Amino acid sequence: MADCIFCMLAGGQIPTATLYEDDDFRVILDASPATKGHCLVLPKAHYEDALAMPDELLAKAHVTAKTVAARLMKAMNCDGINIVQNNKPAAGQTVFHFHIHIIPRYEGGEAIVGWDPGELTEENKVDILKRFAEA
């Protein structure tokens, strides 16, 4: 996609700090990192989100994220790691080219990904199961 910034980054038209690259993906340091070492797994082909990607490529994206995350944890000596992927604006997606965030986490650091746990009520459980079965 000619006007997609992530296509240009993944394709090498814009210089990046590349950690890893193969025929399908480029993993780059995020220009606006949440923590030191935050990087992005970008497919070289354009897909708006995970729902638009072929299953085989989506699986490879997650294997790539796992491989990079393990090496990044060792390199950065971090205490944990978030592997995050958002789909659609309501879920926090702001760039509409599939990407996976790999975010090193450090003990005592600010909570970046999280939520206040709720409760699965019987009413909601029944409603969700019914809707899912009908979808």
Side-chain angles (χ1 to χ4, degrees), residues 6 40 53-56 76 109 119 121:
F6 278 16
L40 302 173
M53 286 183 78
D55 292 347
E56 187 175 297
M76 299 307 298
E119 178 185 344
T121 65

Side-chain angles (χ1 to χ4, degrees), residues 78-91:
C78 58
D79 301 304
I81 204 143
N82 288 119
I83 299 174
V84 181
Q85 200 279 310
N86 304 318
N87 297 280
K88 311 294 182 203

Side-chain angles (χ1 to χ4, degrees), residues 20-21 28 54 82 132:
Y20 172 84
E21 182 176 9
I28 66 170
N82 288 119
F132 187 81

